Amino acid sequence: MKKALTRYRVSASIVGVLLIVLCLVGVPLSNFDGTPMWAGDKIPTPNWFDDGSSADQLGEFITGVLGTAHGWLYMIFLVMAFSLARKANWPMGFTVVTLLCGTIPVLSFWAEHRATARVRAQMAAEERGVADDADRAEVGPSPT
């Protein structure tokens, strides 16, 4: 379970950082040029960056390239998280919340911390159980 936890933590961290860069840097740079964000929308976005400016081009790169990379890496994250959930026997609710939190900037880090704490506590409890079993085996069977 330790390797599954490491794979989960690495994928969660990468996806979390990319999601923050995508949502808090890329989207504003590429979309806040004073034009409506969606077709038919009558309310314009704030005019922070001119269309075609270097900031706009950087935003387009971030949303295009990093956005695509984030999408693929999120699929890998889902597999890693689900694999850990199966190995750790997480309840369905805990698993679903952990998977969904990976879609929300910053909250994904809280979900990773929460899942890591749960798995580490479970591994520590299992180690204590093994140690207790070994102690009992060394003492021998109890007299009846």
Side-chain angles (χ1 to χ4, degrees), residues 22-119:
L22 183 63
C23 292
L24 301 180
V25 178
V27 170
L29 286 176
S30 67
N31 291 305
F32 291 176
D33 57 5
T35 60
M37 194 174 287
W38 293 282
D41 193 4
K42 301 209 185 320
I43 301 171
T45 60
N47 190 8
W48 293 352
F49 310 103
D50 291 330
D51 192 24
S53 67
S54 59
D56 179 60
Q57 290 174 356
L58 176 61
E60 291 295 329
F61 172 79
I62 290 172
T63 56
V65 175
L66 291 183
T68 302
H70 168 74
W72 284 103
L73 291 170
Y74 182 71
M75 295 302 131
I76 293 169
F77 161 77
L78 288 177
V79 170
M80 296 299 125
F82 188 73
S83 172
L84 179 61
R86 298 283 297 172
K87 289 178 182 178
N89 292 321
W90 289 349
M92 182 61 74
F94 189 88
T95 302
V96 169
V97 167
T98 301
L99 296 175
L100 289 178
C101 284
T103 65
I104 303 169
V106 182
L107 192 57
S108 61
F109 294 105
W110 170 79
E112 183 272 330
H113 176 75
R114 175 177 163 255
T116 299
R118 182 182 186 120
V119 171

Side-chain angles (χ1 to χ4, degrees), residues 125-142:
E126 288 173 0
E127 286 177 12
R128 281 193 306 272
V130 169
D132 291 344
D133 291 343
D135 292 341
R136 278 187 234 120
E138 287 179 10
V139 173
S142 61

